Amino acid sequence: MIQQTAREFADNEIAPAADAHNREQRFPLEIVKKLGELGFLGMLIPTEYGGTALGNFSMVLALEEVNRACASTGVTMSVHNSLCSGPIVHWANEELKQKYLPRMATGELIGAYALSEPDSGSDAASLSTSAVKDGSNYVLNGTKNFITTGADADVFIVMVRTDKEHKSRGITAFILEPDMKGFAVGRKEDKLGLRASSTTQLIFEDLRVPASQMLGEEGEGFKIAMHTLDGGRIGIASQAVGIAQACLDASVKYAQEREAFGEPIGKFQAVQWKLADMATGIEAARLMVYNAARLKDDGQRHTKEAAMAKLFASEVCNDIAREAVQVHGGAGYLEDFPVERYFRDARITEIYEGTSEIQRVVISRQLLKDLYQRH
Ligand code: CAA
């Protein structure tokens, strides 16, 4: 039922406007608000805080459908649920949960997550935005980079440095709001893909945040960030599956319609095999996403499986996007056909929430865990 609801909403409301939103670089606020009305922005939020508490497996079903129609809308939904409401549910005290979760569940508040900085991306633990304690406040100074939904979000989970002596253990997480004095949304990036999603810098200048806005304990921020990304990566993996499915759907349609040498190109084995390989890759990636989501719903460690799903799905998605353009020939290179957008949107899935190289680091460290613990 959840998949069906998401599919119909994606086909009827998201897809028809997706090209225009992306061409005009316009955030699909009205669509995101409707996702809230459907309960898709509170999928990880317990019912006592107004959420639907449907969990990660249901969420990846919905995310695949939304991303099939528009990856900009899809990343907004994924980040809101996994990277923002997720850590609040898991790490916030009761007061903060009451303050944010009910309004996040309805979509009144949209969430974002700020870890990366101009000088720290893959090496997230080297972040330098500082937070200095001053009475019952912390004073923040620094710049965050590449923040998804940066110009449009209302709630930000932000990792900052409270201790310079200890690298990963000197990081603390806070919940910030854009109307706090000293909080500025910086440059909006002009991107290859996901052009309807705003990606911005965030600049903090003597931003005073009450200690009561802290998520977890002081020094726990990196653990929170990594634990959160384990979930977020499942969301991005389902985004990759959604984009790949859109590529396949468009290619099947084109193969049936386009004629060459006197017959539809779908009659040629060269095209048939491309479609077969695309469908097989999608099926494998989708099952990896389902597996990681189920492990998370079961409360089992899913660091490795989430990284594997993200790595595999994003690489398969890019292979498929390239082949989808190839099936379309010159037409696939034009804005007139949707595969041009899918091809551009696919690329980021191998980069954000940890590059493919970082996923391989995460996977291999889990395999070699004993070695790491012994040395
Ligand atoms: N869960 C809980 N704790 C974890 C963890 C996890 N998955 N992974 C690591 N930790 C803990 C470790 O146990 C360790 O704790 P102790 O100090 O208690 O031993 C601590 O964190 C430090 O761990 P590492 O030594 O492994 O840390 P590292 O500095 O070597 O970094 C890394 C590991 C995997 C490279 C990490 O930095 C990383 O994932 N980098 C990529 C960052 C990333 O994904 N950024 C994406 C930005 S967000 C985004 O893209 C959102 C968007 O726009 C859509």
Side-chain angles (χ1 to χ4, degrees):
M1 191 190 78
I2 291 157
Q3 188 178 48
Q4 196 55 37
T5 305
R7 189 167 288 168
E8 283 168 16
F9 183 70
D11 287 341
N12 299 333
E13 308 224 20
I14 306 179
D19 275 330
H21 279 123
N22 279 275
R23 226 181 352 257
E24 295 158 21
Q25 300 198 45
R26 189 157 44 85
F27 184 69
L29 183 64
E30 61 293 355
I31 286 171
V32 174
K33 294 290 178 189
K34 282 190 189 168
L35 287 174
E37 286 165 25
L38 289 170
F40 289 148
L41 298 183
M43 299 190 84
L44 304 182
I45 298 177
T47 50
E48 63 262 39
Y49 301 104
T52 47
L54 289 163
N56 291 278
F57 183 68
S58 298
M59 190 170 74
V60 296
L61 295 180
L63 274 175
E64 180 186 329
E65 298 303 327
V66 171
N67 279 291
R68 190 173 51 76
C70 172
S72 297
T73 309
V75 72
T76 310
M77 176 174 155
S78 184
V79 167
H80 172 92
N81 280 292
S82 304
L83 297 190
C84 194
S85 80
I88 296 177
V89 170
H90 203 87
W91 304 90
N93 61 30
E94 187 55 29
E95 198 181 321
L96 290 173
K97 286 183 185 173
Q98 294 287 357
K99 185 172 172 184
Y100 292 108
L101 294 178
R103 288 183 296 154
M104 290 187 73
T106 60
E108 183 188 336
L109 300 179
I110 313 275
Y113 173 92
L115 176 67
S116 302
E117 298 185 357
D119 294 322
S120 66
S122 291
D123 182 10
S126 71
L127 65 85
S128 66
T129 291
S130 64
V132 176
K133 197 158 196 263
D134 181 19
S136 59
N137 294 313
Y138 284 78
V139 182
L140 273 54
N141 280 288
T143 301
K144 291 288 173 183
N145 221 21
F146 296 141
I147 306 309
T148 298
T149 330
D152 301 286
D154 311 285
V155 186
F156 293 80
I157 306 293
V158 180
M159 270 53 69
V160 294
R161 178 159 303 287
T162 41
D163 175 357
K164 286 192 176 137
E165 301 303 313
H166 299 99
K167 195 179 173 190
S168 65
R169 291 185 183 187
I171 294 171
T172 302
F174 285 94
I175 307 179
L176 302 187
E177 297 178 29
D179 58 5
M180 288 174 166
K181 197 162 170 283
F183 186 120
V185 176
R187 191 182 69 219
K188 185 176 167 198
E189 307 297 351
D190 206 357
K191 309 190 297 291
L192 174 70
L194 296 192
R195 290 173 73 81
S197 150
S198 61
T199 303
T200 69
Q201 286 197 332
L202 303 178
I203 299 150
F204 310 137
E205 268 180 25
D206 292 332
L207 186 156
R208 296 181 79 80
V209 57
S212 57
Q213 290 290 110
M214 191 185 288
L215 205 52
E217 303 288 325
E218 186 171 314
E220 262 191 333
F222 192 72
K223 197 166 69 176
I224 294 173
M226 291 297 113
H227 179 269
T228 300
L229 279 170
D230 284 346
R233 287 168 183 164
I234 304 173
I236 300 307
S238 60
Q239 169 173 66
V241 173
I243 298 170
Q245 184 65 47
C247 288
L248 176 61
D249 293 346
S251 300
V252 167
K253 183 165 175 280
Y254 195 74
Q256 287 167 336
E257 290 168 355
R258 172 72 181 176
E259 293 194 1
F261 304 103
E263 43 187 358
I265 59 168
K267 287 272 175 89
F268 298 119
Q269 201 172 50
V271 173
Q272 291 169 352
W273 284 20
K274 284 191 198 303
L275 301 180
D277 287 345
M278 288 182 190
T280 306
I282 291 171
E283 191 67 4
R286 182 180 286 127
L287 293 175
M288 291 178 79
V289 174
Y290 288 178
N291 181 51
R294 284 185 173 127
L295 286 175
K296 185 160 169 62
D297 282 338
D298 264 6
Q300 295 187 50
R301 184 82 193 248
H302 51 279
T303 302
K304 184 177 80 207
E305 291 76 8
M308 286 173 159
K310 203 268 192 187
L311 171 65
F312 187 78
S314 62
E315 294 196 344
V316 155
C317 173
N318 277 274
D319 291 346
I320 289 175
R322 184 172 42 77
E323 289 295 61
V325 172
Q326 199 66 19
V327 168
H328 284 70
Y333 203 62
L334 304 181
E335 279 187 0
D336 304 3
F337 287 82
V339 289
E340 181 267 350
R341 169 164 57 91
Y342 306 152
F343 180 81
R344 289 184 292 101
D345 286 348
R347 196 64 188 83
I348 192 63
T349 64
E350 292 178 303
I351 299 170
Y352 63 12
E353 299 207 26
T355 60
S356 291
E357 291 73 16
I358 287 295
Q359 306 311 324
R360 290 183 166 94
V361 168
V362 172
I363 296 161
S364 58
R365 282 192 186 175
Q366 290 295 313
L367 298 174
L368 298 166
K369 208 158 32 183
D370 291 348
L371 186 68
Y372 272 85
Q373 275 157 5
R374 267 186 272 128
H375 296 274

